Coordinates of all heavy atoms in Angstrom, one line a residue:
Chain A
R274 N 48.2 -35.7 27.0 CA 48.4 -36.7 28.0 C 49.7 -37.5 27.7 O 50.2 -37.5 26.6 CB 47.3 -37.7 28.2 CG 47.0 -38.5 26.9 CD 45.9 -39.5 27.1 NE 44.6 -38.9 27.5 CZ 43.9 -39.3 28.5 NH1 44.2 -40.3 29.3 NH2 42.7 -38.7 28.8
D275 N 50.3 -38.0 28.8 CA 51.5 -38.8 28.6 C 51.7 -39.7 29.8 O 51.3 -39.4 30.9 CB 52.8 -37.8 28.5 CG 53.9 -38.5 27.7 OD1 53.9 -39.7 27.5 OD2 54.8 -37.7 27.2
I276 N 52.4 -40.8 29.5 CA 52.8 -41.7 30.6 C 54.3 -41.8 30.6 O 54.9 -42.1 29.5 CB 52.2 -43.1 30.3 CG1 50.7 -43.1 30.3 CG2 52.7 -44.1 31.4 CD1 50.0 -44.4 29.9
C277 N 54.9 -41.5 31.7 CA 56.4 -41.4 31.8 C 56.9 -42.3 32.9 O 56.2 -42.7 33.8 CB 56.7 -39.9 32.1 SG 56.2 -38.7 30.9
Q278 N 58.2 -42.6 32.7 CA 58.9 -43.4 33.7 C 59.5 -42.5 34.8 O 59.9 -41.3 34.6 CB 60.0 -44.2 33.1 CG 59.5 -45.2 32.0 CD 58.6 -46.3 32.7 OE1 58.9 -46.8 33.8 NE2 57.5 -46.6 32.0
R279 N 59.6 -43.0 36.0 CA 60.2 -42.4 37.1 C 61.6 -41.9 36.8 O 62.3 -42.6 36.1 CB 60.2 -43.4 38.3 CG 60.9 -42.8 39.6 CD 61.2 -44.0 40.5 NE 60.0 -44.8 40.8 CZ 59.3 -44.7 41.9 NH1 59.7 -43.8 42.8 NH2 58.3 -45.4 42.2
G280 N 61.9 -40.7 37.2 CA 63.3 -40.2 36.9 C 63.5 -39.4 35.7 O 64.5 -38.7 35.5
T281 N 62.5 -39.5 34.8 CA 62.6 -38.7 33.5 C 62.0 -37.3 33.7 O 61.4 -37.0 34.7 CB 61.9 -39.5 32.4 OG1 60.5 -39.6 32.6 CG2 62.5 -40.9 32.2
S282 N 62.0 -36.5 32.6 CA 61.4 -35.2 32.6 C 60.5 -35.0 31.4 O 60.6 -35.7 30.4 CB 62.5 -34.1 32.5 OG 63.4 -34.2 33.6
L283 N 59.5 -34.2 31.6 CA 58.5 -33.9 30.5 C 58.3 -32.4 30.4 O 58.1 -31.7 31.4 CB 57.2 -34.6 30.8 CG 56.1 -34.3 29.8 CD1 56.3 -35.0 28.5 CD2 54.7 -34.7 30.4
T284 N 58.3 -31.9 29.2 CA 58.1 -30.5 28.9 C 56.7 -30.4 28.3 O 56.4 -31.0 27.3 CB 59.1 -29.9 28.0 OG1 60.4 -29.9 28.7 CG2 58.8 -28.4 27.7
I285 N 55.9 -29.5 28.9 CA 54.5 -29.2 28.5 C 54.5 -27.9 27.8 O 55.0 -26.9 28.4 CB 53.5 -29.3 29.7 CG1 53.6 -30.6 30.4 CG2 52.1 -28.9 29.3 CD1 52.9 -30.7 31.7
Q286 N 53.8 -27.8 26.7 CA 53.8 -26.5 26.0 C 52.4 -25.9 26.1 O 51.4 -26.6 26.1 CB 54.1 -26.8 24.5 CG 55.4 -27.3 24.2 CD 55.7 -27.6 22.7 OE1 54.8 -27.2 21.9 NE2 56.8 -28.2 22.4
C287 N 52.4 -24.6 26.1 CA 51.1 -23.8 26.2 C 51.2 -22.7 25.2 O 52.1 -21.9 25.2 CB 50.9 -23.3 27.6 SG 49.4 -22.3 27.8
Q288 N 50.2 -22.7 24.3 CA 50.1 -21.7 23.2 C 48.8 -21.0 23.3 O 47.7 -21.6 23.4 CB 50.2 -22.4 21.8 CG 50.1 -21.5 20.6 CD 51.4 -20.8 20.4 OE1 52.5 -21.4 20.3 NE2 51.4 -19.5 20.3
V289 N 48.9 -19.6 23.1 CA 47.7 -18.8 23.2 C 47.5 -18.1 21.9 O 48.5 -17.8 21.2 CB 47.9 -17.7 24.3 CG1 46.5 -17.0 24.5 CG2 48.3 -18.3 25.6
D290 N 46.3 -17.8 21.5 CA 46.0 -17.2 20.2 C 46.1 -15.7 20.2 O 45.8 -15.1 19.2 CB 44.6 -17.7 19.7 CG 43.5 -17.0 20.5 OD1 43.7 -16.6 21.6 OD2 42.3 -17.0 20.0
S291 N 46.5 -15.1 21.3 CA 46.6 -13.7 21.4 C 47.8 -13.4 22.3 O 48.2 -14.2 23.2 CB 45.4 -13.0 21.8 OG 44.9 -13.5 23.1
Q292 N 48.3 -12.2 22.3 CA 49.4 -11.8 23.2 C 48.9 -11.5 24.6 O 47.9 -10.7 24.7 CB 50.1 -10.6 22.6 CG 50.9 -10.9 21.3 CD 51.7 -9.7 20.8 OE1 51.4 -8.5 21.2 NE2 52.7 -9.9 20.0
V293 N 49.5 -12.1 25.5 CA 49.1 -11.9 26.9 C 50.3 -11.6 27.8 O 51.4 -12.1 27.5 CB 48.3 -13.1 27.5 CG1 47.0 -13.3 26.8 CG2 49.1 -14.4 27.4
T294 N 50.1 -10.8 28.8 CA 51.2 -10.5 29.7 C 51.5 -11.6 30.6 O 52.7 -12.0 30.8 CB 50.9 -9.2 30.5 OG1 50.6 -8.1 29.5 CG2 52.1 -8.8 31.3
M295 N 50.5 -12.1 31.3 CA 50.7 -13.1 32.4 C 50.2 -14.4 32.0 O 49.0 -14.5 31.4 CB 50.0 -12.6 33.7 CG 50.5 -11.2 34.1 SD 49.8 -10.7 35.7 CE 50.8 -11.7 36.8
M296 N 51.0 -15.4 32.2 CA 50.5 -16.8 32.1 C 50.8 -17.5 33.4 O 51.7 -17.2 34.1 CB 51.3 -17.5 30.9 CG 51.0 -16.9 29.6 SD 51.9 -17.7 28.2 CE 50.9 -19.1 28.0
F297 N 49.9 -18.5 33.7 CA 50.0 -19.2 34.9 C 50.0 -20.7 34.7 O 49.4 -21.2 33.8 CB 48.7 -18.9 35.8 CG 48.5 -17.4 36.0 CD1 47.8 -16.6 35.0 CD2 48.9 -16.7 37.1 CE1 47.6 -15.3 35.2 CE2 48.7 -15.4 37.3 CZ 48.0 -14.7 36.4
W298 N 50.7 -21.4 35.6 CA 50.7 -22.9 35.5 C 50.1 -23.4 36.9 O 50.6 -23.0 37.9 CB 52.1 -23.4 35.3 CG 52.6 -23.2 34.0 CD1 53.4 -22.2 33.5 CD2 52.4 -24.0 32.8 NE1 53.7 -22.3 32.2 CE2 53.0 -23.5 31.7 CE3 51.6 -25.2 32.6 CZ2 53.0 -24.0 30.4 CZ3 51.6 -25.7 31.4 CH2 52.3 -25.2 30.3
Y299 N 49.1 -24.3 36.7 CA 48.4 -24.9 37.9 C 48.6 -26.4 37.8 O 48.8 -27.0 36.7 CB 46.9 -24.6 37.8 CG 46.6 -23.2 38.2 CD1 46.6 -22.2 37.2 CD2 46.1 -22.8 39.4 CE1 46.3 -20.9 37.5 CE2 45.7 -21.5 39.8 CZ 45.8 -20.5 38.8 OH 45.4 -19.2 39.1
R300 N 48.5 -27.0 39.0 CA 48.5 -28.5 39.1 C 47.2 -28.9 39.7 O 46.7 -28.3 40.7 CB 49.7 -28.9 39.9 CG 49.7 -30.5 40.1 CD 51.0 -30.9 40.9 NE 50.9 -30.6 42.3 CZ 51.9 -30.8 43.1 NH1 53.0 -31.3 42.7 NH2 51.7 -30.5 44.4
Q301 N 46.6 -30.0 39.2 CA 45.4 -30.6 39.8 C 45.7 -32.0 40.0 O 45.6 -32.8 39.1 CB 44.2 -30.4 38.8 CG 42.9 -30.8 39.4 CD 41.7 -30.4 38.6 OE1 41.8 -30.3 37.4 NE2 40.5 -30.2 39.2
Q302 N 45.9 -32.4 41.3 CA 46.2 -33.7 41.6 C 44.9 -34.5 41.6 O 43.8 -33.9 41.7 CB 46.9 -33.8 43.0 CG 48.3 -33.2 42.9 CD 49.0 -33.2 44.3 OE1 48.5 -32.6 45.2 NE2 50.2 -33.8 44.3
P303 N 45.0 -35.8 41.5 CA 43.8 -36.7 41.4 C 42.8 -36.4 42.5 O 43.1 -36.4 43.7 CB 44.3 -38.1 41.5 CG 45.7 -38.0 40.9 CD 46.2 -36.7 41.4
G304 N 41.5 -36.1 42.1 CA 40.5 -35.8 43.0 C 40.6 -34.5 43.8 O 39.8 -34.2 44.7
Q305 N 41.6 -33.7 43.4 CA 41.8 -32.4 44.1 C 41.5 -31.2 43.2 O 41.2 -31.3 42.0 CB 43.3 -32.3 44.6 CG 43.7 -33.5 45.4 CD 43.0 -33.5 46.7 OE1 42.8 -32.5 47.4 NE2 42.5 -34.7 47.1
S306 N 41.5 -30.0 43.9 CA 41.3 -28.8 43.1 C 42.6 -28.3 42.5 O 43.6 -28.9 42.6 CB 40.6 -27.8 44.0 OG 40.1 -26.7 43.2

Side-chain angles (χ1 to χ4, degrees):
Chain A
R274 60 178 61 228
D275 206 343
I276 300 174
C277 300
Q278 296 297 318
R279 180 196 301 260
T281 63
S282 298
L283 176 72
T284 295
I285 302 168
Q286 299 178 7
C287 178
Q288 179 76 52
V289 189
D290 70 340
S291 58
Q292 293 185 340
V293 293
T294 302
M295 304 185 76
M296 296 180 77
F297 306 86
W298 287 98
Y299 288 82
R300 180 175 74 180
Q301 187 173 28
Q302 294 178 299
Q305 303 296 315
S306 194

